[in-house]
């Protein structure tokens, strides 16, 4: 469904990613794990069209997308929940959610049903519909960010550090949402510093260190790997 082939990324004279090759099959939940600064978010920005690779290619359903603008990639069916949420703080919860469907024809036509689905996933957002997004708690803002991405009716949902800075109960809620939408048929790419939770539910995973993929396998295989245990799980 999605393939990255030998991707190199540079920030000026500094190389951030080295020959990154990975695949995501339809219906999977794939985790990309690693320490802060390993290059995880750079991979996601490359998929989303925010960064263009110096070398290599990104293919979605057999077609190259690494030359497309970010809005065209969203229209193609890939939506991202960005690190830091990036909501419109002076707009209401409902307005933020509706923005996810506004510029995508197929999503706009199904916006009412999609909004119901988001409210089913996060009932508190129905209660907060008229509240300004900037006044919500961090966990509630993350729910809005996830809901906004789902409003675009994505084939692939990318989540960049969705649990960062959240209380433990909110972390559980975020991972529950990721599992739920995946079970409903949305392919999920999850980038997280919370390695334990990520690998617990991932079908497959990649371990990224210093801009290179050093390991891949099923979530179970990686969570039982000695290096992963010592480096990321504190065991």
């Amino acid at each position: 469904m999605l393939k990255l082939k030998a991707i190199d990324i540079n920030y000026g004279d500094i190389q951030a990613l080295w020959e990154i090759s990975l695949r995501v099959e339809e219906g999977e939940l794939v985790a990309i794990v690693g320490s802060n600064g390993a290059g995880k978010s750079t991979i996601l920005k490359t998929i989303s069209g925010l960064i263009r690779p110096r070398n290599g290619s990104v293919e979605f359903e057999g077609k190259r997308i690494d030359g497309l603008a970010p809005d065209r990639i969203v229209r193609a069916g890939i939506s991202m929940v960005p690190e830091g949420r990036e909501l419109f703080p002076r707009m209401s919860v409902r307005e933020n959610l509706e923005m996810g469907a506004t510029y995508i024809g197929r999503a706009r036509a199904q916006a009412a049903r999609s909004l119901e689905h988001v409210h089913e996933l996060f009932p508190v957002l129905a209660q907060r519909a008229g509240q300004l997004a900037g006044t919500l708690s961090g966990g509630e803002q993350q729910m809005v960010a996830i809901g906004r991405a789902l409003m675009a009716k994505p084939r692939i949902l990318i989540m960049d550090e969705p649990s960062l800075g959240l209380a433990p109960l909110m972390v559980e809620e975020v991972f529950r949402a990721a599992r739920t939408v995946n079970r409903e048929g949305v392919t999920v790419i999850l980038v997280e510093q919370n390695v334990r939770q990520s690998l617990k539910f991932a079908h497959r995973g990649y371990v990224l260190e210093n801009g290179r993929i050093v390991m891949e396998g099923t979530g179970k295989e990686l969570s039982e790997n000695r290096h992963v245990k010592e480096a990321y799980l504190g065991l």
Side-chain angles (χ1 to χ4, degrees):
M1 187 179 197
L2 181 74
K3 292 182 180 179
L4 276 66
K5 298 180 179 179
I7 292 288
D8 290 333
I9 296 290
N10 279 61
Y11 293 117
D13 294 331
I14 299 174
Q15 188 157 350
L17 296 181
W18 304 73
E19 297 187 343
I20 296 296
S21 295
L22 59 82
R23 77 184 197 281
V24 179
E25 304 294 348
E26 186 168 5
E28 284 190 314
L29 194 162
V30 173
I32 303 174
V33 301
S35 60
N36 189 33
K40 304 185 301 297
S41 293
T42 300
I43 290 177
L44 300 190
K45 290 176 181 177
T46 303
I47 296 170
S48 301
L50 298 172
I51 298 174
R52 294 196 177 183
R54 179 169 60 85
N55 294 310
S57 63
V58 181
E59 295 181 5
F60 177 50
E61 298 188 320
K63 297 179 181 179
R64 285 189 66 165
I65 62 171
D66 48 276
L68 298 182
D71 63 303
R72 291 188 62 189
I73 291 174
V74 173
R75 288 187 176 94
I78 301 176
S79 293
M80 184 162 74
V81 182
E83 181 181 355
R85 301 180 280 272
E86 297 185 13
L87 302 181
F88 299 97
R90 296 184 180 276
M91 291 170 58
S92 70
V93 167
R94 178 168 184 144
E95 288 170 334
N96 269 274
L97 292 173
E98 290 175 340
M99 283 293 292
T102 298
Y103 300 104
I104 303 168
R106 71 179 187 282
R108 190 164 58 245
Q110 302 178 56
R113 176 66 192 101
S114 296
L115 188 62
E116 289 180 9
H117 178 255
V118 171
H119 288 165
E120 291 167 1
L121 190 63
F122 301 120
V124 69
L125 297 186
Q127 302 168 24
R128 303 275 196 273
Q131 189 170 334
L132 295 182
T135 66
L136 300 177
S137 69
E140 290 169 343
Q141 288 186 18
Q142 189 62 275
M143 293 177 190
V144 176
I146 295 170
R148 180 180 60 187
L150 291 173
M151 290 289 291
K153 304 296 289 183
R155 299 280 308 285
I156 296 179
L157 178 68
I158 298 174
M159 305 178 75
D160 190 3
E161 302 286 6
S163 75
L164 188 65
L166 301 185
L169 285 177
M170 285 293 103
V171 171
E172 291 290 338
E173 189 72 7
V174 165
F175 279 99
R176 178 194 63 81
R179 296 197 306 275
T180 298
V181 299
N182 179 244
R183 288 169 182 160
E184 292 172 347
V186 178
T187 302
V188 176
I189 303 173
L190 178 63
V191 155
E192 261 291 339
Q193 290 187 57
N194 190 329
V195 175
R196 187 184 305 276
Q197 284 279 46
S198 298
L199 296 181
K200 181 179 179 181
F201 301 109
H203 296 107
R204 291 188 305 108
Y206 294 87
V207 179
L208 194 68
E209 293 181 356
N210 299 316
R212 291 180 169 88
I213 291 175
V214 298
M215 205 176 303
E216 64 178 279
T218 67
K220 187 174 188 294
E221 287 170 346
L222 292 179
S223 64
E224 294 177 351
N225 179 271
R226 179 176 178 180
H227 173 71
V228 173
K229 285 182 176 181
E230 293 176 349
Y232 301 106
L233 301 180
L235 299 175

